[in-house]
């Protein structure tokens, strides 16, 4: 239970005093050594568990007098600190009994160890049926997973399923891929049966070939399908492969906030240290629509983040969640710093086709001197609106790609064949239509720009302040007016406001405890819209500063946007004039 | 600089690189880039038929700056700056965890076998069709729009439900679909997740030789030390040699366990020997796992493929083992659809949850349409488990015929194959064939040379068994090669023709 609460159990034993020959031992002979007990109290001690009469010894604790205890406690007043998070693992103990342990304990370094003798005697089966858990004296999870268990998506995805909602949260289209892609996939699964078997480890040859020729032109590079292209399980898999291949214990990775949330745990899992730098909004004139292009990096601040330990910088353009498309000048700044400090650039460009208002997506790898140090990551899911196919790729120079291939061959080895076949076919089709009105890469952004405008307008009508998105699937909206109007939404004290706001939006008719009846200030129940709180795209220290934005996905079909409108109009009517 | 070069050397063909350092330096190129070009040219001349490179590099005049610009797209003088050179080679280095893990038998040998004139008994992929209902389910799924998008990260809900229903029969307990099952990118992905999730720097992991080759680099990538124990064969004299003659010595096995042992990797039915562990053998392993408080990673991808007289047992069903075992299965092996790349891990939540953490930071989710089709296909067979039509029953029957055919074929040319009780591979000592390998490079184990020679000269490919060994034990197994027999009859006919023709001139 201590462990489940994230605590660190500290053990001290009751020790039997020697008995005279033949004399019956008594539980009262089992005592605590006061000095030893005192030594267990530290500034991080939060509580002591006392069990009297004691199970299993039967001792009645008269020796541990209140004074005795309070002396120890007053000398080391326990205080609350987030740092008491326990990084150890002990399983199998009688709930609540262990702390005054009647048996000597095995110990190893900071690792409390499950009760030796008692449970050995009781046998593994007893422990099992009691706790359904593993009696393992060794630490169970690998250290590389420390602090990575929490994933913000799980919570919000679950919530959105629990309630009747219009889901504008997760970034996937709810309309089908284009006909040519669907047909390509149908052909791949019903044609040659050998497409049900493994293909080449680093990518289905026709796919690596078309990716090399297609992106070779865009990047101004001649790409070799075998050396410069690696097909991965989605762009997510590409990112993971890149981090594992290049980031070592102690390396620093510069991440621009707000950032797609996986960059941080992926850096940590590789043993690296994320270093954050925020895009900062410039103030807008009253009534003026904020734009993601007003969110900029401070060049001096960015430069200050580069050190001799900096191994890589992650650049995401168009940016998720902000929808910012980095300008050429901004990219040149990043490129200059990367070259100056000899840093690799991991360029996540999965939304490269989704750029609006006539803006141009620029790959940083196409800037002078950058190809040799840049990995460019793309996604068939975002390219052809088929996120479920899980096909992604990395493009880069062979001297970096070879390390990614090593990770790939030791982690998943192959990607599914048929999805790759369909993606290859779809790119072949696109290559023929490149730049023409029939090209999906022309049609999709056009359609999504309409969606963006639609959503921007609708959100404004209820008093949300959207930030104009220049690219990607997303836009963010400022909820600071709501924060000042109704600051006390339900939720944990520590929970950033935007998370509470999103939960409030999702839950259709929350039953309110009486004492919080006023929290809505007379506002009607929320309307069942799912968005994603933007603070999850920030590092913990910066979450406080960015807890008043929420992210909406506008890559949804017409019906979804209409349903959104209905919800918003109802909301507006209930908000009143 | 020198240090960095040494590092790079260790990753590739040494001598070539060392030789070229000075010339390239004098010319003002990055040595690593130079080496890369050099390597590329070597590869070109070696595998000129490789399709990706066909017709590409017509100018192999290495040292022309024009070529250089074409490859890197940046002016050559950028590379000439010595400061740039020094720093570049350091930062572009791999992370330590993958140091020395770049070589891979499959990459090497599938490239060789890619020549369509080669009869491929190498990589374990079926060239028979998957069952028709499996293909049909996928075709149906491909018509459903919504299944083109993301699904649940730890497994598509209908699939984990089907898996729990299937395996509850074998574990004789309820299996929570969301907490005790994880769907992965193939069993390969399951192994990776399990090892990354549970194995730490400084841990020891026991691996039985020979072993599916990825166990060792995966354990090393996690920073742990693999501890090896060989399966040893009893003398068989005149009798048929069977995979069951290969056993572990219980005392020797116990000697490998200590306080640092975090896990043992078990593979039953075994690849490449085809051994199916008996109840008694599994009990020995289970007892040691409990005694030494060790996890068990049980790779059971060939679980359905056991032949007459044998039964596949799950170590997780032994008393005290469920709580410390993760069991890995494969859709590719179950339905002969290796290209779907779907696998699963089943185990107690206190283990699976760590594998889930790895998953959410590696691939997040697996392909949706394939998972849906797999779920539908599983339901068809779950409902007829005792029926001979059920693929879990019909495939081993079909394969047993192929196994027996391979045994006869290999015996007919004087070899003594080890008859597998499970899996779809058969291994045999090929040194008896007396192939003349004098043309082959001498720096490799015998079986590597033999397979390369056989692929080139006899147009038949297989996999060298020493690829399934750590470096110390390679000499013990280098006379063996592995043939895959989940192949259509015409493929086996072609292999038979080659093998029979080969033995004729000798007799």
């Amino acid at each position: 239970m201590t462990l489940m609460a994230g605590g660190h159990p500290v053990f001290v034993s009751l020790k039997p005093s020697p008995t005279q020959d033949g004399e019956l031992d008594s539980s009262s002979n089992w005592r605590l050594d006061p000095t030893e007990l005192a030594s267990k109290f530290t500034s991080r001690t939060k509580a002591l568990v006392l069990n009297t009469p004691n199970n299993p010894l039967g001792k009645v604790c008269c020796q541990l007098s209140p004074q005795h205890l309070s002396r120890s406690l007053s000398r080391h007043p326990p205080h609350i600190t987030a740092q008491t998070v326990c990084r150890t693992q002990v399983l199998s103990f009688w709930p609540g009994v262990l702390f005054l342990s009647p048996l000597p304990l095995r110990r190893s370094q900071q690792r409390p160890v499950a009760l030796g003798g008692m449970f050995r005697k009781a046998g593994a089966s007893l422990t099992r049926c009691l706790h359904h858990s593993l009696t393992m004296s060794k630490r169970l999870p690998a250290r590389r997973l420390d602090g990575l268990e929490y994933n913000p998506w799980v919570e919000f995805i679950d919530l959105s399923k629990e309630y009747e909602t219009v889901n504008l949260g997760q970034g996937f289209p709810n309309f089908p891929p284009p006909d040519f892609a669907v047909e390509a996939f149908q052909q791949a699964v019903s044609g040659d049966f050998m497409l049900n078997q493994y293909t080449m480890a680093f990518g289905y040859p026709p796919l690596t070939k078309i990716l090399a020729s297609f992106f070779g032109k865009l990047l101004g590079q001649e790409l070799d399908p075998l050396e410069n292209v690696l097909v991965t399980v989605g762009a997510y898999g590409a990112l993971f492969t890149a981090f594992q291949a290049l980031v070592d214990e102690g390396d620093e990775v510069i991440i621009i906030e707000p950032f797609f949330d996986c960059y941080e745990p992926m850096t940590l899992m590789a043993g690296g240290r994320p270093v954050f730098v925020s895009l900062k909004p410039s103030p807008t004139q009253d009534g003026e629509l904020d734009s993601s292009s007003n969110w900029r990096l401070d060049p001096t601040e960015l430069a200050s983040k580069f050190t001799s330990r900096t191994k890589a910088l992650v650049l995401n353009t168009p940016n998720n969640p902000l929808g910012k498309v980095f300008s050429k000048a901004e990219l040149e700044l990043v490129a200059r710093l990367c070259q100056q400090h000899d840093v690799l650039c991991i360029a996540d460009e999965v939304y490269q086709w989704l750029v609006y208002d006539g803006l141009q997506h620029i790959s940083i790898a196409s800037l002078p001197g950058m190809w040799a140090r840049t990995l460019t990551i793309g996604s068939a899911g975002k390219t052809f609106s088929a996120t479920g196919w899980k096909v992604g790729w990395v493009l880069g120079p062979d001297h970096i790609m070879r390390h990614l291939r090593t990770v790939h061959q030791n982690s998943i080895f192959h990607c599914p064949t048929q999805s790759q076949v369909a993606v290859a076919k779809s790119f072949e089709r696109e290559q023929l239509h490149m730049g023409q009105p029939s090209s999906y890469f022309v049609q999709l952004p056009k359609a999504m720009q309409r969606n963006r405008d639609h959503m921007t307008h609708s959100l404004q009508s209820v008093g949300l302040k959207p930030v104009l998105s220049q690219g990607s699937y997303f836009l963010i909206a400022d909820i600071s007016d709501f924060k000042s109007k109704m600051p006390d939404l339900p939720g944990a004290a520590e929970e950033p406001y935007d998370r509470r706001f999103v939960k409030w939006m999702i839950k259709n008719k929350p039953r309110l405890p009486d004492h919080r009846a006023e929290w809505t200030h007379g506002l009607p129940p929320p309307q069942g819209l799912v968005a994603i709180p933007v603070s999850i795209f920030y590092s913990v220290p910066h979450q406080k500063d960015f807890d008043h934005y929420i992210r909406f996905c506008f890559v949804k079909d017409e019906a979804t946007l209409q349903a959104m409108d209905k919800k918003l109009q109802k909301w507006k009517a209930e908000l009143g004039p | 600089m020198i240090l960095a070069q040494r590092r790079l050397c260790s990753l590739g063909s040494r001598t070539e690189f060392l030789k070229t350092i000075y010339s390239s330096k004098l010319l003002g190129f990055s040595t690593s880039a130079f080496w890369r070009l050099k390597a590329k040219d070597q590869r070109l001349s070696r595998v000129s038929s490789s399709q990706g490179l066909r017709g590409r590099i017509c100018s192999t005049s290495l040292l022309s700056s024009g070529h250089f610009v074409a490859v890197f797209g940046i002016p050559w003088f950028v590379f000439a700056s010595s400061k740039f050179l020094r720093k570049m080679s350091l930062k572009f280095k791999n992370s330590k965890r993958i140091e020395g893990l770049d070589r891979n038998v499959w990459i090497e040998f599938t490239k060789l076998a890619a020549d369509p004139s080669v009869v491929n008994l190498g990589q374990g992929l079926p060239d028979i069709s998957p069952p028709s209902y499996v293909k049909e389910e996928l075709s149906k799924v491909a018509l459903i729009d919504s299944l083109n998008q993301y699904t649940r990260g730890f497994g598509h809900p209908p699939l984990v439900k089907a898996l729990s229903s299937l395996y509850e029969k074998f574990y004789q307990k309820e299996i929570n679909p969301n907490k005790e099952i994880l769907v992965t990118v193939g069993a390969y992905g399951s192994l990776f997740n399990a090892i990354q999730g549970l194995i730490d720097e400084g841990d020891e992991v026991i691996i039985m030789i020979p072993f599916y080759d990825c166990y060792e680099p995966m354990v090393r990538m996690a920073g742990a030390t693999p501890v090896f124990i060989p399966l040893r064969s009893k003398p068989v004299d005149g009798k048929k040699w069977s995979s069951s003659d290969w056993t572990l010595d219980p005392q020797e096995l116990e000697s490998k366990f200590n306080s640092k042992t975090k896990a043992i990797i078990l593979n039953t039915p075994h690849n490449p020997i085809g051994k199916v562990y008996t109840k008694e053998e599994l009990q020995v392993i289970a007892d040691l796992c409990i005694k030494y408080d060790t996890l068990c990673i049980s790779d059971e991808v060939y679980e359905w493929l056991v032949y007459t007289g044998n039964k596949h047992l799950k170590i997780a069903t032994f008393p005290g083992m469920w709580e410390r075992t993760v069991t890995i299965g494969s859709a590719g092996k179950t339905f002969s659809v290796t290209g779907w790349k779907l696998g699963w891990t089943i185990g107690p939540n206190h283990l699976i949850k760590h594998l889930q953490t790895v998953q959410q930071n590696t691939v997040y989710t697996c392909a949706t349409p394939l998972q849906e089709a797999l779920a539908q296909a599983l339901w068809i067979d779950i409902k007829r488990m005792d029926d001979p039509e059920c693929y879990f029953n019909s495939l081993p029957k079909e394969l047993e015929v192929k196994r027996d055919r391979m045994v006869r074929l290999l015996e007919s040319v004087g070899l003594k194959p080890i008859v597998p009780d499970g899996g779809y591979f058969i291994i045999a000592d090929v040194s008896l064939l007396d192939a003349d390998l004098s043309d082959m490079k001498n720096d490799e184990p015998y079986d590597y040379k033999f397979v390369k020679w056989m692929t080139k000269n006899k147009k038949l490919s297989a996999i060298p068994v020493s690829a399934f060994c750590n470096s110390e034990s390679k000499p013990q197994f280098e006379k063996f090669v592995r043939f895959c027999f989940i192949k259509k009859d015409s493929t086996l006919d072609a292999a038979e023709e080659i093998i029979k023709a080969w033995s004729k001139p000798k007799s």
Side-chain angles (χ1 to χ4, degrees):
Chain A
M1 284 181 180
T2 302
L3 289 168
M4 205 171 127
H8 182 129
V10 174
F11 304 102
V12 56
S13 303
L14 287 162
K15 300 225 171 55
S17 8
T19 48
Q20 304 245 325
D21 252 6
E23 195 197 341
L24 185 64
D25 191 12
S26 156
S27 63
S28 63
N29 288 337
W30 293 57
R31 298 199 186 90
L32 284 168
D33 172 350
T35 335
E36 191 193 353
L37 177 63
S39 76
K40 301 294 175 184
F41 285 80
T42 73
S43 63
R44 287 167 60 174
T45 310
K46 180 82 184 280
L48 177 141
V49 183
L50 181 65
N51 173 215
T52 178
N54 170 279
N55 173 3
L57 198 54
K59 177 181 176 65
V60 178
C61 265
C62 51
Q63 297 229 332
L64 193 70
S65 67
Q67 290 133 333
H68 196 128
L69 243 184
S70 63
R71 211 174 332 129
S72 288
L73 287 172
S74 61
R75 210 176 306 142
H76 303 278
H79 66 266
I80 302 164
T81 154
Q83 297 306 314
T84 45
V85 171
C86 170
R87 298 197 149 201
T88 59
Q89 186 88 18
V90 182
L91 292 159
S92 165
F93 53 84
W94 297 83
V97 186
L98 254 198
F99 295 81
L100 299 177
S101 151
L103 286 165
L105 296 165
R106 268 199 294 144
R107 271 176 183 272
S108 61
Q109 287 155 11
Q110 301 165 312
R111 215 153 36 191
V113 166
L115 253 192
M118 181 167 76
F119 289 97
R120 282 288 139 82
K121 271 181 219 150
S125 59
L126 171 63
T127 322
R128 201 167 53 250
C129 67
L130 282 173
H131 305 293
H132 273 280
S133 188
L134 177 58
T135 318
M136 198 176 197
S137 58
K138 291 161 196 157
R139 184 196 148 85
L140 213 47
R143 278 182 193 82
R144 66 181 68 82
L145 303 184
D146 281 351
L148 306 187
E149 302 83 357
Y150 174 72
N151 183 293
W153 297 99
V154 179
E155 186 180 3
F156 289 97
I157 293 168
D158 287 352
L159 261 182
S160 66
K161 282 186 194 130
E162 222 173 290
Y163 296 86
E164 279 283 308
T165 56
V166 177
N167 193 343
L168 306 170
Q170 235 186 329
F172 64 83
N174 65 353
F175 49 79
D179 291 344
F180 66 84
V182 172
E183 279 157 27
F185 187 65
Q186 284 167 357
Q187 264 173 28
V189 304
S190 49
D192 178 5
F193 72 76
M194 282 310 285
L195 296 179
N196 286 297
Q197 308 305 342
Y198 293 139
T199 180
M200 302 303 278
F202 303 137
Y204 175 63
L207 178 57
T208 53
K209 192 170 159 227
I210 187 75
L211 288 172
S213 80
F214 197 97
F215 286 94
K217 284 193 199 95
L218 295 174
L219 297 175
Q221 292 291 331
E222 195 179 331
L223 302 188
D224 181 302
L226 296 179
E227 298 187 340
N228 301 126
V229 182
L230 174 67
V231 177
T232 54
V233 178
Y236 209 90
L239 285 162
F240 166 76
T241 310
F243 283 107
Q244 286 287 310
L246 300 166
V247 177
D248 249 329
E249 203 86 14
D251 285 345
E252 291 175 8
V253 176
I254 298 176
I255 296 173
I256 298 167
E257 292 175 312
F259 59 92
F260 182 44
D261 63 296
C262 73
Y263 303 156
E264 184 181 10
M266 283 185 182
T267 303
L268 291 170
M269 194 171 150
R273 201 170 77 79
V275 173
F276 299 99
V277 55
S278 300
L279 288 162
K280 302 236 164 53
S282 8
T284 49
Q285 304 243 323
D286 248 9
E288 196 196 344
L289 186 66
D290 192 11
S291 163
S292 58
S293 62
N294 291 335
W295 292 55
R296 296 198 191 91
L297 288 167
D298 173 349
T300 331
E301 190 192 357
L302 178 62
S304 75
K305 302 292 177 181
F306 284 82
T307 72
S308 61
R309 289 307 313 258
T310 310
K311 181 75 184 266
L313 175 144
V314 188
L315 179 76
N316 176 211
T317 180
N319 166 281
N320 169 10
L322 191 54
K324 177 186 174 66
V325 176
F326 282 74
S327 69
K328 186 154 189 215
E330 289 172 311
L331 293 176
E332 280 168 347
L333 167 72
V334 173
R336 197 167 55 243
L337 287 168
C338 283
Q339 291 178 61
Q340 210 175 321
H341 296 272
D342 188 27
V343 164
L344 303 176
C345 180
I346 299 173
D348 175 351
E349 303 185 358
V350 299
Y351 300 106
Q352 70 178 110
W353 310 111
L354 293 147
V355 176
Y356 312 121
D357 304 327
L359 284 170
Q360 201 72 44
H361 165 77
I362 301 167
S363 288
I364 195 165
S366 68
L367 298 184
M370 285 307 286
W371 166 253
R373 57 176 72 254
T374 303
L375 293 171
T376 306
I377 291 172
S379 151
K382 311 294 178 189
T383 300
F384 296 114
S385 310
T387 55
W389 296 4
K390 287 296 286 181
V391 176
W393 56 83
V394 194
L395 311 170
D398 185 52
H399 60 264
I400 308 181
M401 294 298 287
R402 56 210 297 260
H403 306 315
L404 274 72
R405 291 195 290 268
T406 304
V407 173
H408 185 82
Q409 82 198 13
N410 288 305
S411 55
I412 55 152
F413 207 95
H414 299 101
C415 301
T417 308
Q418 286 136 327
S419 321
Q420 294 190 65
V421 176
V423 174
K425 283 263 179 301
S426 301
F427 263 114
E428 282 160 14
R429 186 264 181 197
E430 272 303 297
Q431 197 164 44
L432 295 176
H433 293 250
M434 192 68 183
Q436 295 165 29
S438 55
S439 164
Y440 192 61
F441 302 160
V442 172
Q443 291 172 347
L444 180 67
K446 245 193 202 161
M448 290 312 112
Q449 184 172 327
R450 282 195 299 272
N451 282 10
R452 177 203 63 174
D453 293 342
H454 180 153
M455 184 182 275
T456 305
H457 185 77
S458 302
L459 294 177
Q460 275 179 309
S461 74
V462 291
L464 288 160
K465 289 190 189 150
V467 177
L468 189 74
S469 166
Q470 302 168 292
S472 86
Y473 278 11
F474 310 105
L475 61 80
I476 67 170
D478 188 334
I479 52 167
S480 44
D481 285 356
F482 291 82
K483 194 180 171 186
S484 47
K485 262 190 264 172
M486 38 186 215
D488 298 323
L489 294 182
E494 295 290 298
E495 199 174 13
Y497 183 79
D498 55 350
R499 297 186 198 198
R500 286 186 273 154
F501 187 84
V502 166
K503 286 181 191 168
W504 173 78
M505 283 208 314
I506 292 172
K507 296 178 187 178
N508 248 327
K509 288 189 171 91
R511 256 177 261 119
L512 301 176
D514 289 346
H515 66 279
R516 306 201 73 161
E518 302 97 315
W519 62 261
T520 56
H521 294 276
L523 288 178
Q527 303 297 318
L529 280 180
V530 184
I532 298 290
V534 168
S535 64
I536 71 166
F537 303 100
Y538 280 88
S539 61
V540 173
H542 296 162
Q543 284 177 359
K544 277 264 162 263
D545 303 330
F546 293 92
D547 69 344
H548 53 286
Y549 293 98
I550 55 177
R551 188 195 80 171
F552 292 92
C553 172
F554 53 78
V555 178
K556 300 291 173 190
D557 62 9
E558 197 52 42
T560 310
L561 293 183
Q562 277 168 10
M564 167 191 79
D565 280 346
K566 237 181 241 165
K567 296 268 186 197
L568 288 175
Q569 274 155 21
K570 221 172 124 200
W571 191 355
K572 191 181 168 190
E574 282 159 347
L575 278 166
Chain B
M1 178 87 190
I2 294 297
L3 194 88
Q5 285 163 354
R6 289 228 179 96
R7 285 280 194 212
L8 281 166
C9 283
S10 70
L11 294 172
S13 61
R14 282 146 225 253
T15 47
E16 277 302 323
F17 183 35
L18 287 172
K19 259 188 263 166
T20 53
I21 283 179
Y22 291 103
S23 60
S24 62
K25 239 188 193 170
L26 287 172
L27 285 156
F29 291 111
S30 146
T31 46
S32 65
F34 178 79
W35 170 80
R36 174 183 161 277
L37 289 177
K38 184 84 185 150
K40 180 195 261 179
D41 278 23
Q42 282 171 354
R43 201 172 329 158
L44 268 179
S45 55
R46 238 181 284 146
V47 273
S48 53
S49 65
S50 165
Q51 65 188 109
L53 292 170
R54 190 177 295 146
R56 249 211 73 216
I57 307 214
C58 31
S59 72
T60 45
S61 74
L62 263 191
L63 305 180
S64 83
S65 59
H67 183 190
F68 206 87
V69 170
V71 174
F72 278 92
I74 28 179
W76 65 271
F77 51 80
V78 174
F79 286 87
S81 140
S82 62
K83 189 181 165 204
F84 186 84
L85 280 183
R86 196 177 315 123
K87 290 175 88 185
M88 202 172 100
S89 40
L90 283 173
K91 281 281 173 84
F92 291 0
K93 228 188 86 53
N94 54 290
S95 57
K96 288 189 203 85
R97 71 180 65 82
I98 55 167
E99 188 72 48
L101 304 184
D102 52 342
R103 200 170 174 199
N104 184 288
V105 61
W106 308 106
I107 306 284
E108 202 172 340
F109 284 89
T110 44
K111 237 183 237 164
L112 278 178
D115 176 354
S117 69
V118 169
V119 177
N120 189 353
L121 301 187
Q123 211 183 0
L125 84 149
D127 70 358
I128 56 172
S129 171
S132 55
Y133 57 90
V134 173
K135 290 186 290 181
E136 278 157 23
E137 288 303 332
L138 183 55
S139 296
K140 275 192 250 167
V141 163
L143 299 173
I144 303 171
D145 284 339
S146 62
L147 292 172
N148 286 307
Q149 309 303 340
Y150 291 140
T151 183
R152 177 176 170 268
F154 303 144
H156 185 51
L159 177 56
V160 287
K161 197 154 172 270
L163 287 168
S164 95
S165 167
L166 170 64
Y167 283 104
E168 272 166 10
K169 295 180 173 61
F170 295 91
Y171 289 94
Q172 306 257 307
K173 72 182 277 301
E174 264 179 47
I175 295 174
N176 183 314
N178 294 329
K179 294 185 162 178
E180 297 179 323
I181 299 179
L182 174 65
V183 176
T184 57
V185 181
Y188 211 90
S190 285
L191 284 162
F192 179 76
N193 283 359
I195 291 168
Q196 285 283 314
L198 301 168
I199 310 297
D200 243 328
E201 217 163 294
D203 288 343
E204 291 183 3
V205 176
I206 299 176
I207 297 174
M208 299 152 199
I209 302 169
F211 54 87
Y212 183 53
D213 67 297
C214 74
Y215 300 162
E216 182 182 357
M218 282 187 182
V219 166
R220 291 198 191 280
M221 193 171 154
T225 309
V227 172
F228 298 99
I229 172 161
L231 283 160
R232 298 181 195 278
S233 176
K234 300 189 285 228
V236 285
D237 305 325
K239 287 185 301 177
K240 261 195 197 282
W241 203 0
S242 157
S243 62
S244 61
D245 293 320
W246 292 76
T247 52
L248 293 169
D249 173 350
Q251 259 124 43
E252 189 184 4
L253 181 59
E254 175 150 18
S255 75
K256 304 291 177 182
F257 282 83
N258 62 46
S259 61
K260 284 199 215 149
T261 310
K262 184 70 184 280
I264 181 168
I265 304 181
L266 172 70
N267 177 209
T268 182
H270 182 269
N271 172 10
I273 291 184
K275 175 184 177 62
V276 177
Y277 284 76
T278 63
K279 191 173 177 205
E280 292 70 30
E281 289 175 314
L282 292 177
Q283 191 61 60
V284 169
I285 296 169
D287 289 345
L288 289 171
C289 283
I290 292 166
K291 181 170 174 190
Y292 290 93
D293 197 12
T294 295
L295 302 176
C296 179
I297 298 172
S298 188
D299 172 354
E300 302 182 5
V301 297
Y302 301 103
E303 61 191 308
W304 316 108
L305 305 174
V306 287
Y307 305 121
T308 311
N310 298 281
K311 190 169 165 25
H312 170 70
L313 298 171
K314 293 186 169 297
I315 196 165
T317 60
F318 284 56
M321 286 305 286
W322 164 256
E323 64 200 49
R324 57 177 72 249
T325 304
V326 290
T327 306
I328 292 170
S330 155
K333 312 296 177 188
T334 299
F335 283 127
S336 308
V337 288
T338 55
W340 292 23
K341 285 298 285 183
L342 289 174
W344 51 83
T345 313
I346 295 180
N349 181 245
H350 61 254
L351 298 179
I352 292 293
K353 68 181 181 191
H354 303 307
L355 278 59
Q356 290 177 333
T357 304
V358 178
Q359 172 110 332
Q360 85 197 6
N361 291 302
T362 54
V363 300
Y364 201 86
T365 165
C366 300
T368 314
L370 296 167
Q371 292 192 70
E372 172 73 20
L374 176 60
Q376 298 307 331
L378 281 171
W379 281 119
I380 292 173
D381 279 326
I382 290 169
K383 288 178 185 144
R384 52 173 194 190
M385 294 283 284
D386 299 323
D387 194 326
E389 296 278 285
C390 172
Y391 198 61
F392 309 152
N393 305 321
S394 68
L395 181 62
K397 283 273 164 297
E398 185 184 343
L399 286 181
E400 190 160 339
V401 176
K402 295 181 191 290
R403 175 196 69 166
D404 294 343
R405 178 178 177 181
M406 277 307 286
V407 171
R408 280 197 307 276
L409 172 61
L410 294 170
E411 283 175 347
S412 74
V413 293
L415 298 183
K416 195 163 185 185
I418 297 167
V419 182
D421 291 330
Y424 44 55
F425 306 105
I426 184 163
I427 75 174
D429 180 341
V430 288
S431 62
L432 302 164
L433 289 171
D434 260 340
D436 176 13
L437 305 183
S438 52
D439 285 351
M440 309 305 292
K441 277 197 299 172
N442 225 357
D443 57 348
E444 288 191 316
Y446 180 87
D447 52 355
Y448 273 72
K449 287 189 284 185
F450 178 87
V451 171
K452 286 177 183 173
W453 173 87
M454 181 170 74
T455 311
K456 194 172 153 222
N457 296 300
K458 301 289 177 186
K459 301 284 177 194
L460 177 65
S461 84
I463 293 289
V465 171
S466 68
F468 301 88
C469 298
N470 64 326
S471 49
E472 288 76 39
S473 64
K474 282 188 197 301
Q476 282 167 257
F477 286 91
E478 67 170 345
K479 298 290 162 63
F480 290 96
V481 306
R482 188 196 82 169
F483 298 95
C484 170
F485 57 79
I486 184 160
K487 301 289 176 183
K488 57 186 186 243
D489 286 339
S490 60
T491 308
L492 295 179
D493 291 344
E496 179 159 359
E497 215 169 285
I498 291 169
I499 292 174
K500 291 218 153 138
W502 176 354
S503 64
K504 260 176 205 149
K506 262 177 62 196
S507 50

